[in-house]
Amino acid sequence: MENAQQDNPEVENHQLEAELDEEVDRYAGRRGTRIKAALKKLREVGAGNALAPDLRRLAPHGADATLIHMWAAAEKATRRIEPKTIDRQARRMSKLSEWLRTHDRPPMAGRLSTPAFVRDLEEYRRETNDKKINADLVKLGGYEQILEANRALGLRPPEDPGQPSWEAARQPHALQGPPATPASTRNQS
């Protein structure tokens, strides 16, 4: 066997990769997928391939992408949370939205509190083991409520001239511009 491996290094590499994957499974349990993804990137580099900054671009529902972008812009404007943390949260929400899209489910925008969305979310969590998405969605839901309250008061977030209006985001697959931080509800004298 050893001579066969020396004669054909590709056989040896496949055996080593399989052994390494088994070790990862034993070591990491549920985190094995993340480690395997990192190992895959290392193997790509080892094979002489260049890596893009993000190997996989997400494709969430348009309305969700707009809502998530608006939420992230508003959160970053408050400077309460590190921008990298906000980006991670936005990415998790975008992954959920992409999952909804690829499973022929409606966007989450406008239905975060509905029983149908709760069922979709439960299925998503079973499939992905995403344990952080609930906290992210609480924040997004709160932001969506602020947008709705502001809209009911006749307040509109500032529009980006290159984007359609905020009202368009209420429609599935619509895009909208980033807002400023929503108006507060405290009494202004």
Side-chain angles (χ1 to χ4, degrees), residues 10-189:
E10 204 167 304
V11 170
E12 182 178 342
N13 285 341
H14 289 298
Q15 288 172 339
L16 288 174
E17 286 179 13
E19 290 172 13
L20 189 54
D21 285 342
E22 288 172 17
E23 288 293 321
V24 166
D25 288 339
R26 277 195 299 272
Y27 171 75
R30 289 185 182 178
R31 291 191 176 149
T33 23
R34 283 185 174 172
I35 294 171
K36 283 183 182 178
L39 289 172
K40 182 179 178 186
K41 289 179 182 181
L42 287 173
R43 289 175 184 142
E44 289 289 319
V45 170
N49 298 329
L51 292 179
D54 187 7
L55 291 176
R56 181 171 174 255
R57 298 283 179 208
L58 295 173
H61 281 289
D64 292 345
T66 300
L67 179 62
I68 293 165
H69 176 75
M70 290 174 64
W71 167 82
E75 280 294 331
K76 287 177 180 178
T78 68
R79 301 180 195 258
R80 292 179 303 189
I81 302 173
E82 286 292 321
K84 287 182 181 181
T85 301
I86 295 166
D87 291 342
R88 280 192 302 271
Q89 293 168 333
R91 183 157 179 81
R92 280 192 297 268
M93 291 185 269
S94 294
K95 284 180 184 178
L96 168 59
S97 179
E98 180 181 66
W99 182 91
L100 291 168
R101 189 186 54 73
T102 60
H103 286 76
D104 296 322
R105 311 285 170 80
M108 62 183 154
R111 66 181 202 113
L112 289 169
S113 300
T114 66
F117 179 72
V118 170
R119 286 190 299 274
D120 290 344
L121 180 60
E122 287 171 2
E123 185 178 340
Y124 171 78
R125 284 194 348 243
R126 276 193 308 272
E127 283 186 26
T128 64
N129 288 322
D130 186 339
K131 299 195 183 337
K132 296 182 178 181
I133 193 67
N134 284 352
D136 299 336
L137 293 174
V138 167
K139 293 173 185 173
L140 187 66
Y143 181 74
E144 190 174 48
Q145 287 176 346
I146 291 169
L147 289 177
E148 289 297 320
N150 284 351
R151 189 178 71 75
L153 294 170
L155 302 174
R156 294 173 51 112
E159 294 182 23
D160 179 347
Q163 297 292 325
S165 73
W166 176 76
E167 285 294 322
R170 297 183 44 74
Q171 305 302 317
H173 312 294
L175 296 175
Q176 65 194 47
T181 304
S184 72
T185 55
R186 71 172 198 242
N187 191 6
Q188 296 179 3
S189 300

